[in-house]
């Protein structure tokens, strides 16, 4: 586990499974339909149980770069925040949309009195975002938010494998310097 104090808050990196987190909210790297699908979204829907899909199915989808909130049902987390990352295309829009996913998720969390939140590495799986670039964007977005808002005390990145954890570790070192 690695951590950095940002203002009054803590930014943490851990390697693990986001479905097991006991933060107030976990973030889902969702698809536009908010359907279970594969990857981290499939894992979150399996762990939360069928009531999650009942709720997300009624929302009517989510645009890229935006976020929606639901309950967490069988998860330890009270809420799931669903955000749709960009499918990597190599255009400058990718970075803007990925940053927006983090900021919109954090804003929605703050509105719902969430004090602790866990993120996966959005867009770095099926959506193909190069993880080194995505890690820099993710950490910078969270740092910028925490410097301006002190209602969220813990932001934890839950990285699934060594490759993602290493990329985020290097990005965190870049953020410190
Ligand atoms: P996207 O479509 O946004 O790329 P993916 O679910 O394919 O979403 O992947 C996003 C990241 O989530 C990848 O780094 C993947 O390894 C990771 N991941 C998959 N399952 C889990 C899990 N249970 N906990 C945390 N991260 C996960």
């Amino acid at each position: 586990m690695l951590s950095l104090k940002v203002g009054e808050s803590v930014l943490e990196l851990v390697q693990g499974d986001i479905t097991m987190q006991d933060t107030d909210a976990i973030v889902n790297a969702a698809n536009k339909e908010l359907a279970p699908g594969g990857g981290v979204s499939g894992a979150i829907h399996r762990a939360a149980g069928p009531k999650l899909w009942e709720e997300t199915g009624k929302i009517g989808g989510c645009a890229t770069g935006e976020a929606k909130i639901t309950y967490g049902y069988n998860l330890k987390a009270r809420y799931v925040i669903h955000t749709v990352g960009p499918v990597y295309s190599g255009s400058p829009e990718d970075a803007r949309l990925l940053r927006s996913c983090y900021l919109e998720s954090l804003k929605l969390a703050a509105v719902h009195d969430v004090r602790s939140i866990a993120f996966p590495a959005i867009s770095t799986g099926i959506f193909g975002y190069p993880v080194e670039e995505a890690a820099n964007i993710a950490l910078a977005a969270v740092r910028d938010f925490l410097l301006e808002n002190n209602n969220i005390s813990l932001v934890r990145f839950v990285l699934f494998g060594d490759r993602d954890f290493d990329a985020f570790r290097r990005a965190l070192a870049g953020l410190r310097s």
Side-chain angles (χ1 to χ4, degrees):
M1 198 261 277
L2 291 171
S3 70
L4 177 68
K5 191 112 196 220
V6 182
E8 296 299 303
S9 311
V10 173
L11 195 173
E12 221 172 70
L13 305 185
V14 302
Q15 199 169 337
D17 180 347
I18 200 161
T19 67
M20 308 294 285
Q21 303 303 310
D22 61 359
T23 44
D24 297 338
I26 66 169
V27 175
N28 181 16
N31 48 59
K32 282 187 187 161
E33 296 73 33
L34 303 180
V40 73
S41 176
I44 288 171
H45 276 269
R46 273 193 303 280
K51 287 211 168 72
L52 181 58
W53 176 215
E54 271 174 40
E55 188 177 356
T56 56
K58 288 182 192 143
I59 293 174
C62 181
T64 305
E66 294 183 5
K68 308 278 181 184
I69 192 165
T70 66
Y71 288 109
Y73 301 101
N74 296 340
L75 296 166
K76 290 182 190 159
R78 177 165 165 77
Y79 297 111
V80 179
I81 294 175
H82 307 262
T83 187
V84 182
V87 176
Y88 188 71
S89 70
S91 92
E93 255 314 76
D94 298 339
R96 189 187 68 75
L97 290 167
L98 186 60
R99 177 177 169 86
S100 172
C101 285
Y102 287 97
L103 296 178
E104 292 303 313
S105 297
L106 290 164
K107 280 188 216 163
L108 198 52
V111 167
H112 287 82
D113 277 334
V114 164
R115 306 274 167 203
S116 58
I117 184 168
F119 281 97
I122 298 165
S123 282
T124 65
I126 299 160
F127 285 179
Y129 215 114
V131 64
E132 305 278 345
E133 272 177 58
N136 285 320
I137 293 163
L139 294 184
V142 169
R143 178 207 47 205
D144 294 349
F145 181 89
L146 293 178
L147 288 173
E148 307 245 306
N149 300 269
N150 46 23
N151 30 12
I152 298 181
S153 52
L154 172 67
V155 178
R156 176 183 295 157
F157 282 89
V158 182
L159 292 326
F160 205 42
D162 293 342
R163 177 200 73 144
D164 291 0
F165 186 78
D166 282 352
F168 274 75
R169 184 176 51 71
R170 281 193 292 274
L172 189 71
L175 210 62
R176 285 181 206 272
S177 57

